[in-house]
């Protein structure tokens, strides 16, 4: 490990207990900064309501840490929107945001568009499939941004159990993202959960970043932030244990392909010979090939979008 990373781990890696809530609230009052929480959601009716309700109760009603909570529905076919609204979230459908640019499927697409329908100086992203959710996920990763003006982006770190076994989750992280980061961006080797969906950042940083439209958004955001603001402006906070719905192996393969493509673009901005991934499933007549396109599109920095600039002037 690089000496720079070893030093970073001692100065920019914290626990949620390092910043008591009263200190975070005092820093928020002193700074005047506002906080938006965004949940990208696609068919998450079983979990999204509980997450919204806990954030509202703990961090909006009990204490004034969060100023708004927005659920961006990515085209759900279940009751995700209704459940989220009933729990108290502002619900916006992906396709109604910036309609002049047709939306494409993907998590990064939703996160990018969320910048247009939120107003917080700090934007906190939380995945909508979390189970046994704690508001520590929000206060833990927002805290450093409120208390330390030198921090621009904070990732959550946590244990990720799989089928009851501790530390066995995050398979794409261990098999794809961590090797890529260690080999090509070793300054980022200290991040425990580089692909984790729980992180917060200053709007002033997010609006300058391109957003891969799919699963590569987290890796792309880390790499681009490193180049834009430097390692010392990045941090991570231990928020305990993350339980969520796990993807099957085929879905993980598609995720890994998108992440590899995101890395490849940043390494060389080169041409991808075949932006597709073929996988195999056993059918009645043996193995059947199924080919999926790999996300190759990226959205430009939001600061370059005319509607976003007009909104800020207004």
């Amino acid at each position: 490990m690089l000496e720079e990373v070893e030093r970073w781990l001692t100065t920019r890696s914290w626990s949620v207990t390092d910043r008591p809530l009263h200190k975070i609230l005092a820093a928020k009052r002193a700074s005047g900064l506002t906080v938006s929480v965004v949940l990208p959601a696609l068919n998450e009716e079983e979990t999204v309501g509980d997450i919204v309700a806990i954030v509202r109760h703990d961090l909006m009603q009990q204490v004034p840490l969060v100023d708004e909570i927005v659920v961006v529905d990515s085209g759900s076919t279940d009751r995700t929107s209704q459940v989220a609204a009933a729990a108290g979230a502002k619900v916006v459908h992906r396709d109604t945001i910036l309609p002049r640019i047709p939306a494409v499927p993907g998590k990064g697409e939703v996160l990018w568009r969320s910048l247009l329908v939120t107003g917080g100086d700090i934007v906190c992203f939380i995945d909508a499939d979390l189970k046994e959710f704690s508001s520590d996920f929000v206060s833990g990763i927002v805290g450093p941004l409120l208390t330390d003006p030198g921090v621009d982006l904070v990732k959550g770190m946590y244990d990720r159990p799989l089928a009851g076994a501790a530390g066995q989750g995050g398979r794409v992280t261990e098999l794809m993202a961590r090797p890529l980061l260690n080999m090509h961006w070793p300054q980022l080797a200290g991040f425990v959960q580089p692909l984790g969906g729980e992180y917060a950042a200053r709007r002033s940083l997010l609006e300058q970043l391109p957003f891969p439209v799919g699963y590569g958004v987290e890796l792309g955001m880390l790499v681009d932030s490193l180049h834009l603001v430097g390692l010392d402006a990045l941090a991570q906070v231990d928020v305990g244990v993350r339980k969520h719905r796990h993807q099957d192996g085929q879905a993980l393969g598609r995720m890994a392909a998108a992440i590899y493509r995101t890395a490849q673009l940043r390494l060389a901005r080169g041409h991808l010979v075949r932006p597709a991934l073929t996988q195999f499933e056993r059918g009645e007549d043996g193995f059947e090939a199924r080919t999926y396109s790999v996300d190759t599109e990226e959205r430009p920095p939001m600061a370059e979008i005319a509607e976003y600039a007009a909104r800020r002037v207004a």
Side-chain angles (χ1 to χ4, degrees):
M1 184 179 292
L2 297 177
E3 289 186 11
E4 181 183 6
V5 176
E6 291 181 351
R7 178 192 55 78
W8 179 84
L9 283 168
T10 64
T11 61
R12 286 290 187 261
S13 265
W14 298 296
S15 166
V16 66
T17 58
D18 291 335
R19 288 175 177 79
L21 192 54
H22 71 273
K23 290 188 176 181
I24 298 174
L25 291 168
K28 183 175 189 288
R29 287 192 295 268
S31 68
L33 297 174
T34 54
V35 176
S36 299
V37 172
V38 172
L39 276 69
L42 177 62
N43 294 329
E44 303 293 357
E45 66 177 2
E46 294 184 5
T47 50
V48 68
D50 287 342
I51 297 172
V52 170
I54 290 169
V55 172
R56 279 187 53 81
H57 176 268
D58 292 1
L59 303 179
M60 297 179 78
Q61 297 169 348
Q62 294 288 98
V63 299
L65 179 63
V66 171
D67 297 280
E68 64 175 347
I69 179 166
V70 179
V71 171
V72 183
D73 192 325
S74 187
S76 298
T77 56
D78 65 2
R79 298 183 63 254
T80 290
S81 289
Q82 298 93 315
V83 170
K90 173 185 175 182
V91 179
V92 186
H93 194 282
R94 173 200 63 198
D95 295 348
T96 66
I97 307 170
L98 200 60
R100 74 173 176 85
I101 300 178
V104 298
K107 180 182 180 182
E109 177 83 352
V110 174
L111 300 185
W112 182 70
R113 290 174 186 264
S114 76
L115 297 181
L116 265 167
V117 293
T118 54
D121 302 300
I122 294 169
V123 183
C124 174
F125 298 117
I126 301 291
D127 281 349
D129 65 343
L130 301 190
K131 303 173 182 177
E132 300 178 28
F133 177 77
S134 166
S135 59
D136 284 350
F137 274 72
V138 174
S139 59
I141 57 181
V142 165
L145 294 162
L146 292 170
T147 60
D148 190 334
V151 174
D152 287 327
L153 183 146
V154 181
K155 296 281 294 187
M157 58 176 168
Y158 28 67
D159 294 319
R160 296 182 67 180
L162 175 63
Q168 296 302 307
R171 290 161 288 173
V172 176
T173 292
E174 300 304 329
L175 296 175
M176 176 60 73
R178 201 177 307 286
L180 280 172
L181 292 175
N182 275 264
M183 288 187 287
H184 298 297
W185 296 280
Q187 286 177 294
L188 297 174
F191 277 94
V192 175
Q193 297 291 353
L195 300 185
E198 290 67 49
Y199 49 97
R202 299 189 192 278
R203 179 176 293 271
S204 57
L205 171 61
L206 292 172
E207 65 188 14
Q208 297 180 68
L209 299 176
F211 277 60
V213 298
Y215 284 121
V217 63
E218 275 85 21
L219 183 134
M221 190 177 294
L222 262 189
V223 170
D224 294 341
S225 295
L226 174 68
H227 291 305
L228 195 62
V229 296
L231 182 60
D232 279 344
L234 313 180
Q236 61 185 352
V237 174
D238 187 348
V239 292
V241 178
R242 182 185 195 267
K243 297 181 180 180
H244 66 115
R245 173 174 45 81
H246 290 283
Q247 304 271 16
D248 63 31
Q250 298 254 321
L252 294 179
R254 297 190 290 274
M255 188 184 304
I259 290 164
Y260 179 78
R261 169 59 171 169
T262 301
Q264 184 199 43
L265 283 173
R266 279 151 181 80
L267 284 168
R269 295 290 166 183
H271 173 65
L272 187 65
V273 176
R274 182 175 178 266
L277 174 72
T278 298
Q279 296 178 316
F280 296 88
E281 295 180 10
R282 184 181 290 279
E284 293 182 0
D285 299 320
F287 285 104
E288 300 174 356
R290 289 180 171 81
T291 299
Y292 302 87
S293 62
V294 174
D295 293 320
T296 59
E297 188 170 357
E298 297 198 1
R299 295 305 190 188
M302 187 57 79
E304 298 177 6
I305 300 297
E307 290 89 338
Y308 186 77
R311 189 194 75 159
R312 299 197 69 182
V313 171

